[in-house]
Amino acid sequence: MANKEVGITEVVLRDGNQSLLSTRLKLEDIIPIASKLDEVGYSSIESWGGAIFDSCVRYLNEDPWERLRELKKAMPKTQQQMLLRGQNLVGYKHYSDEVVSKFIEQSAMNGIDIFRVFDALNDLRNIEQSVKAIHDNEKHAQGTLAYTISPIHTLDTWIDLAKQIEDLGCDSLCIKDMSGILSPEYAFDLISELKKIIQIPIHLHTHATTGMSNLTNMRAIEAGVDNIDTSISSMSMGYGHSPTETMIYLMNEKQINSNIDLKDLIPIAEYFDCIREKYKEFEGSMKGVDLKMLINQVPGGMLSNLETQLKALNKEKLLNEVVSEIYEVRKDLGFVPLVTPASQIIGAQALSNIINNKYETLSLEIVDLVLGYYGRLPGEINKDLLDKALLNKESITQRPANLINEKFDSYKNDLKRYCKKLKIKDLSSNDDHILTFILIPYGSEKIFKSLNS
């Protein structure tokens, strides 16, 4: 039974940007339209997290914390939302509970209202500390189910996981379909069942990659979903998401209220039409839809970034081979959902397998993934791969963060020494800068130097 009102989360500033423009959208191109976004009446705007932090530091020469503060200041009426990778934060490895808590505290202080928190392996031990820290800062914790299709993932799998997310104390649940592989009928069945079993609101995040997203969103609405993610029309579809205007139009036809006037979206769509042209060099090559995703399940953001990386190596001709190999590596790892950081680890290994002999070279990250240092893998691991990984170190079954004792304060001295080495003023008295150093220690030289100018 459809709700009479469904919230809309606008993702153009984070996942729309990440999926279509390799996360290159600069703050200077957001600020001019921010006040109009703020007036629309979105339930939230996803403006931070995911790959934004990394991209700000490595490519955009922006302080990610300053970006967040400026966005919050420019959109004070609308709840700002971020994507958080649980114990990985916005990095690519696990951090200590103390660092996780500090990052969430600073994110909340700088402007985040809603934290969508997920774990790439759906191992909820890896999000429990985040949820606790979010609540300690009196913010909204949205627990996430990273959706995938495999022989070992059934309707019961997802229902059990959703119950556990609710039991963890999350304020809402997000079904995160990063590859656009959630079919309309499966979405209807899943959300219909979840509505009978859990009490917290259900949000749906799906991508347009396979061409199903509009219908999937509508069937989810018919099943009673509380909120959907969309992206403004001129930054939608392809690797991205359903257009905001299309979904509102379809909802209006069914007398479902979104609290948004379509006329308010016209200038926003026109603005991003011009902006997209400015960033066209960062777009992927996909035209139309890609039904191979239903087999390979490679997410949009991963695909566009993979293309960019292969271009830089002059190996773009290998894209289809690498995508096929990604599926094989994923299968060998017990059908891990392809989401950061697992997707990057698997993508890098797939490329290595194509260039060299299969598993001839194992990255440190793939060894850790196989042996439990990222968390519990969902299915059975390929025996040859496991045996090879065990030559490097022993496996673990406990919660990975239990083995990490790093203290936030210990990084202050490290940053102090780093600033001295760079011959810049000491930045170690600022908690935001310490966190930047922790998350991107070797990529932060440029941004730290710019903070001194």
Side-chain angles (χ1 to χ4, degrees), residues 129-151:
Q129 180 62 27
S130 298
V131 172
K132 179 184 180 300
I134 294 161
H135 286 149
D136 286 347
N137 287 278
E138 300 182 335
K139 299 297 182 182
H140 182 110
Q142 185 173 102
T144 306
L145 177 162
Y147 181 75
T148 190
I149 297 172
S150 84

Side-chain angles (χ1 to χ4, degrees), residues 44 100 116 125 142 153 162 181 243 247 256 261 295 352 382 384 429:
S44 63
V100 166
R116 177 176 289 170
R125 298 175 304 169
Q142 185 173 102
H153 291 91
I181 54 175
M247 296 317 304
I256 295 163
D261 188 332
I295 302 165
S352 173
N382 175 290
D384 291 340
S429 61

Side-chain angles (χ1 to χ4, degrees), residues 337-352:
L338 282 175
V339 66
T340 303
S343 53
Q344 279 79 358
I345 296 168
I346 290 169
Q349 187 62 52
L351 179 59
S352 173

